Each structure stands twice: as structure tokens, then as C-alpha cells.
Amino acid sequence: MTSTAPKTLQGKDADQQPAGWQQRLRRFGYAPRPVIGLRERLVPPYTRPSERLWPVFGIPPAVVNPLLRTAAWGGPLLVALVAGVLRFWNLGSPKAVIFDETYYAKDAWALINQGYEGSWPKDIDKSILRDPSSVPIPTDPGYVVHPPVGKWIIGIGEQLFGFTPFGWRFMVAVLGTLSVLMLCRIGRRLFRSTFLGCLAGALLAVDGLHFVMSRTALLDLVLMFFVLAAFGALVVDRDWARRRLAAALPVDEDGVLRPDATVAETLRLGWRPWRLTAGLMLGLAAGTKWNGLYVMAAFGLLTVLWDVGSRRTAGAVQPYRAVLKKDLVPAFVSTVPVAIATYIASWTGWIVTDKGYFRDWAGTAGKGGSFTWLPDWLRSLWHYETEVYQFHVNLTSGHTYQSNPWSWIVLGRPVSYYYESPSAGIGGCPSDAADKCAAEVLALGTPLLWWAACFAIAYILWRWLFRRDWRAGAIACGIAAGWVPWFFYQERTIFLFYAVVFVPFLCLAVAMMLGAILGPPGSDERRRAIGAIGAGVLVLLIIWNFIYFHPLYTGTPIPVEDWRNRMWLDTWV
């Protein structure tokens, strides 16, 4: 019997031959993707540096494994230490109430001392800076338009270090430093690389917007911290769930993990503590500023889609149906009710007092109606929230530094928090200055980092859409959750510093792009060398850029001409 197979396949397994288009693309450098086992697809291992690296630094083989284990925490802690030194150095300067600190520092002081915000008299800031002990806390309730979590946190620092600029900035600087540590660890788990995780954290450490917000008593950095913590908890939960699936799947006689539709579609993953942690963090985020609610919706969808992908990888024929039956209700219960309970609990100070703004509404102006069976405090709180919502959506009064969210990513209109122009020899201005100096605190991201992030966003979208890379999709979700909602309120008065919420995800995107520039595992030395030079130059330029703009981040007096040289765009003035 004559074989009908082509001569090129005679004597070979036809299934092992590359497809025709793949064969033709080999001349252009195409290489088929390596086959990855099911266990590695469910729970990818952490990458190890090339064995050729250790002799270069004179590290003996016996030290390599302990060094790698130490680096998993040692590297992130070192990056966080550098970030902390930068943020805490001269934290009380400028000794002034800068920008919206005039609201949150005073509200936090009242909240931490009497449980509700007071109605402060105008022009009280100078008296507070001169002698805070002489300024009484007002007992009349103040009308505030943001939930209390961020102010409680600011108040902790004031309780520890006094009603001073250092006191009201202390806890924000703590959270800013811890967020760098978290990002290192999140990036390490996301990329399975200690180096790329530490690189993402290092980029966050030298971002100007994150740096300024870490040294200012505003709410947005606190919101960013809880959003990042929720994301990190969900990433850990994803690994935890996939390990449970891998442990339940059958193993063949060769010890190879095999997919199983029955297990993948019927296994209950049980108690998921990291998802509860995410619910708690999302509740604290919403309890800081309401845009945390958009993040909750985005992250909720993200974690459900991760469950779909996990069950599909494990062999589920109908993964969406399996998630609907086994995962959707537990996912909802462990996040949304937990977040709601956390949000309500954050109002405890207002609930237990009888002096908070609108606290007695249900018993006075709101007496009667359809919901009298609810507790008065809950009805009063609901009325307060509806009033605040109307305030936010109708906030259209113009402001010098307002900006459109379209311009945020290119740093179109940063916000000046503080500006003084001391004369030569006065207030830190050099005595040999030819003209006056400029001392400014400008909420401006490190320009080269943000402009590189524009390309990084395009890269992760490509990775997500065309390579189905879940890591890119997760980063894109974090950016979209913090940025996209503001496009629905373009008529509202909004500012560039709101973007600090998604800055960590920009740093993850840039780190992922730099990892691609460095080259995939197994690249030859020439490819690695070229990639290392390109990535290294970009990182060094970003660090230099942060150093160059550092006076504008800290209010350091510099000659006006030097200040003008740093105004790269006309809209920055």
C-alpha cells in the first residue's frame, strides 16, 4: 500500500510538523511558543536569573539559593527604605497649610478628638501654625463632602506628633512608603520576577506625583493605598485558587498533571480569606473617597474573569457556567457586603454623637415618610450622602488648576500646592541669586516616567488583546478603574492629582515594557546586552528626571531662572 502523505512527512509524525505559515515565518525569526505543562500554567514558577550571572559578580553556587530567598523580601524592603527616606526627609517643610490641607488637616484634628468634623472659622490657618494649642476645636458641626476614613488616618499622625505640618503629613508618608513596598511584592508575584517587581516599586518611589502626594495631607494618596492593597489581595487570591485547582486535578502514571472537566466544573474552592481582605480594603477605599466604588466594580469583574480563566485552564468545558454556579455568589458575598459594612463602620464617630452635621435630620426635617422603620441614624446618614452626591455632581465652579482627564497622562496641567518668591538671602534663597527665588510644591509626575507610560499603556493593551496576557489585562484594569470614570464628569471641576490612584499601575506597565526590552528568558547574550542597555538608559533618565525636578516637589527655593528652565510646558506655569 502506497502512502498518500507528502514525501517531507514520510517516516515522521505529521502532528509534530509546524503549520505551513509557521514554517514560512521561520526565515523571519519566528519560533513556536514552548509547550508549558498544566501545573506551570496554573501556578507559574518564579523565574531565576541566568546561571551565567553569578560568576560575573563572584558569587559561589552555594550562596545562590539563600541569596534568592533573601532577595524576595530583602529587595522590596531596600526599595521601600529608599522611598521612605525620600518621603520623610524634612517632611514638615514647607511649614505651611498647603492647598487642600486647609480642609483635611483641620477636619482630621476635630474627628480624632471629638468624633465629628467641626466648622472652623476662616483665616485660622496662621494661628494653627503659630500656636496650635491656642486654637480651640469648634463644637459646631461642619459640612464635609468626603467620607471619614482618610481623615481618621491623617488624625492618627496628628495624635502622635501634634497639630503641626509634620503631624498631619506623617501617616500619609507612612502609607506612601508602604505602597512602594506593596508594589514591589505585587509586581514580583505578577511577573514572577523579583527584579521586575523591585523595578516597578523603584519607579513608584521616584514618581513626582506620588512623592508630592505622600508628603501632603490630602485624601487621594490614602485612597491609592487601599486600592493597591485590594488589587494585591486579589492577585494573591488568584494564585491561592489556582493552587487549589491544581491540587485537586488528577495526575497520570508519569506524574503529569492532567485537565479534568468534572473537577474543574464542580470543585468548590471554599474559604477565600484574601478575597475578604480585598472586600475590606475596597470598603476603606470607598470610605476615603467615593471613586473607590468604581474600583470595586472593576476589580469585582476582574476577579470573576480570573475564576473563569482558572477553571477553563483546569479543563472546564463550560467555565462561565461553572463560575456562575460555584464562584459568583461567594465572590459577591465576600466583597460587596464586607465593603458596605466597612464603609458604614467608618462613620461610627458620626453615628455615636448627636452633634454631627445632619445627624438629627431623621428626627427633625426628615420626620415621617416611607422608611421610618429604619434607624434614625441610618436615615440621617442616607440623607447626608444624597446631599453630598448632589454637591459633587454639580461642582462646576472654575479653578485655575483644573484639567481635563484626557490631558492627565501627558501631564497637561499639574497643580501648584504652594508658591513663594523669597528675595536673595531670605527664606533659603541663595544670597548670590541675581533675582528672586521660586519655592514651589508642584503636583507633577516625573515627566519621562509618565511619557514612557504612554507607550507602556499601548504595549500592555497589545499584550492583552493579541497575546491574551492576563497580567497586562490586570494592569489595564487598574489604570482604567482609576482613570476612565472621570471622563463621565468632564464638566466637573477635577484635577490631575486625582491620577495618583492609578500611578502604581502605570509603574507596573512601564516595568512590564522594560521586561520586554530586556528580552524573554532564553535570549542570547547579544540580545540581553542590547536590551539591558536600552532599559537601563531609560531607568537612569527617569531617576535623573526625578532629581532634576526634586526642588519643585519639596518647595526648595531655587533661582527664578532655574525654575523657568523646569517649566517644560507652558501649561505648567
Side-chain angles (χ1 to χ4, degrees):
M1 181 176 179
T2 304
S3 173
T4 57
K7 291 182 179 181
T8 55
L9 297 182
Q10 289 181 5
K12 297 182 180 180
D13 183 355
D15 293 336
Q16 296 179 358
Q17 303 302 313
W21 67 269
Q22 293 173 319
Q23 185 70 35
R24 290 192 294 271
L25 286 177
R26 282 184 181 275
R27 70 186 67 178
F28 300 107
Y30 169 82
R33 293 185 187 179
V35 178
I36 302 174
L38 178 58
R39 189 180 302 276
E40 288 71 26
R41 285 159 53 205
L42 282 171
V43 188
Y46 285 86
T47 57
R48 291 174 60 91
S50 171
E51 297 299 329
R52 295 171 294 182
L53 179 66
W54 310 118
V56 174
F57 295 99
I59 300 175
V63 181
V64 170
N65 286 333
L67 181 63
L68 291 177
R69 286 193 297 269
T70 303
W73 272 103
L77 286 171
L78 181 60
V79 174
L81 176 63
V82 173
V85 170
L86 289 172
R87 280 150 180 76
F88 279 96
W89 185 264
N90 208 15
L91 180 62
S93 178
K95 188 179 179 181
V97 180
I98 63 175
F99 200 61
D100 281 354
E101 284 185 341
T102 188
Y103 304 116
Y104 305 126
K106 290 181 292 192
D107 286 344
W109 183 242
L111 197 63
I112 204 74
N113 281 282
Q114 63 188 19
Y116 65 94
E117 296 91 337
S119 179
W120 293 85
K122 293 182 178 179
D123 303 323
I124 198 68
D125 292 349
K126 291 181 180 179
S127 299
I128 292 172
L129 293 170
R130 185 171 55 251
D131 183 12
S133 62
S134 66
V135 179
I137 301 173
T139 56
D140 291 338
Y143 178 61
V144 296
V145 295
H146 290 298
V149 169
K151 288 167 281 187
W152 279 112
I153 290 173
I154 293 170
I156 293 172
E158 293 175 330
Q159 192 75 3
L160 291 173
F161 299 101
F163 195 24
T164 64
F166 181 86
W168 60 63
R169 294 169 192 162
F170 176 80
M171 283 303 298
V172 183
V174 169
L175 296 190
T177 303
L178 290 178
S179 65
V180 172
L181 176 62
M182 279 199 305
L183 190 66
C184 290
R185 292 289 297 177
I186 291 169
R188 179 180 182 271
R189 185 176 290 270
L190 202 66
F191 302 130
R192 288 307 197 256
S193 166
T194 300
F195 172 75
L196 289 181
C198 289
L199 177 59
L203 292 174
L204 186 62
V206 297
D207 174 61
L209 181 60
H210 186 274
F211 177 80
V212 170
M213 298 300 288
S214 297
R215 293 168 53 87
T216 311
L218 271 64
L219 303 181
D220 300 85
L221 191 285
V222 181
L223 171 63
M224 179 280 304
F225 176 84
F226 290 126
V227 168
L228 183 61
F231 180 78
L234 291 176
V235 171
V236 176
D237 174 75
R238 180 183 184 274
D239 278 358
W240 183 91
R242 291 169 81 90
R243 281 196 299 268
R244 289 289 301 270
L245 277 170
L249 290 173
V251 179
D252 64 15
E253 60 274 9
D254 296 323
V256 178
L257 197 69
R258 295 298 181 188
D260 186 282
T262 301
V263 171
E265 293 182 358
T266 61
L267 179 69
R268 291 189 179 275
L269 296 173
W271 175 257
R272 298 175 70 165
W274 285 105
R275 205 171 244 175
L276 290 169
T277 303
L280 174 64
M281 294 298 109
L282 290 169
L284 292 172
T288 302
K289 291 189 79 171
W290 277 3
N291 42 320
L293 295 172
Y294 291 103
V295 179
M296 185 189 307
F299 284 4
L301 177 62
L302 179 68
T303 189
V304 169
L305 292 177
W306 282 351
D307 282 344
V308 171
S310 300
R311 291 188 180 272
R312 178 189 288 120
T313 302
V317 179
Q318 295 180 312
Y320 285 95
R321 182 178 179 182
V323 168
L324 182 64
K325 293 173 64 176
K326 302 295 181 183
D327 299 322
L328 192 60
V329 171
F332 178 86
V333 171
S334 58
T335 51
V336 177
V338 172
I340 293 174
T342 302
Y343 179 84
I344 293 175
S346 72
W347 284 88
T348 299
W350 181 88
I351 293 170
V352 298
T353 184
D354 59 354
K355 295 182 179 180
Y357 203 88
F358 280 135
R359 179 61 185 84
D360 61 348
W361 176 86
T364 53
K367 196 171 184 179
S370 303
F371 296 95
T372 53
W373 52 274
L374 290 173
D376 280 358
W377 66 265
L378 185 57
R379 293 177 58 228
S380 296
L381 180 59
W382 180 260
H383 175 72
Y384 195 169
E385 304 284 54
T386 57
E387 291 291 317
V388 169
Y389 176 77
Q390 292 300 322
F391 169 84
H392 282 304
V393 297
N394 294 310
L395 183 60
T396 56
S397 56
H399 193 283
T400 303
Y401 292 106
Q402 72 182 66
S403 59
N404 191 287
W406 288 108
S407 68
W408 291 355
I409 195 63
V410 293
L411 303 174
R413 182 61 170 163
V415 181
S416 181
Y417 286 174
Y418 168 86
Y419 185 88
E420 294 288 343
S421 54
S423 300
I426 300 175
C429 181
S431 56
D432 59 350
D435 198 351
K436 287 185 175 182
C437 284
E440 182 173 30
V441 176
L442 186 65
L444 172 73
T446 303
L448 293 185
L449 173 59
W450 281 65
W451 296 338
C454 297
F455 296 95
I457 290 173
Y459 171 71
I460 63 167
L461 290 175
W462 173 80
R463 288 284 306 184
W464 175 49
L465 292 172
F466 297 102
R467 300 296 295 272
R468 311 308 302 167
D469 191 325
W470 74 273
R471 303 168 303 171
I475 297 169
C477 178
I479 296 172
W483 188 15
V484 170
W486 292 110
F487 288 99
F488 299 107
Y489 300 98
Q490 294 185 58
E491 299 301 320
R492 186 185 182 276
T493 306
I494 52 181
F495 303 93
L496 184 147
F497 66 82
Y498 295 170
V500 74
V501 175
F502 61 86
V503 166
F505 300 96
L506 293 182
C507 294
L508 286 172
V510 174
M512 190 172 184
M513 181 180 71
L514 289 170
I517 293 173
L518 285 170
S523 299
D524 59 46
E525 292 186 9
R526 183 174 180 273
R527 170 66 179 85
R528 283 287 193 181
I530 294 173
I533 292 171
V537 167
L538 179 56
V539 171
L540 290 175
L541 286 173
I542 289 171
I543 294 172
W544 163 82
N545 204 208
F546 172 77
I547 295 171
Y548 180 69
F549 281 94
H550 188 266
L552 270 62
Y553 300 144
T554 57
T556 302
I558 56 175
V560 169
E561 188 61 32
D562 292 347
W563 176 83
R564 290 196 187 99
N565 291 337
R566 287 165 172 79
M567 296 294 105
W568 287 2
L569 300 180
D570 292 341
T571 54
W572 293 2
V573 179

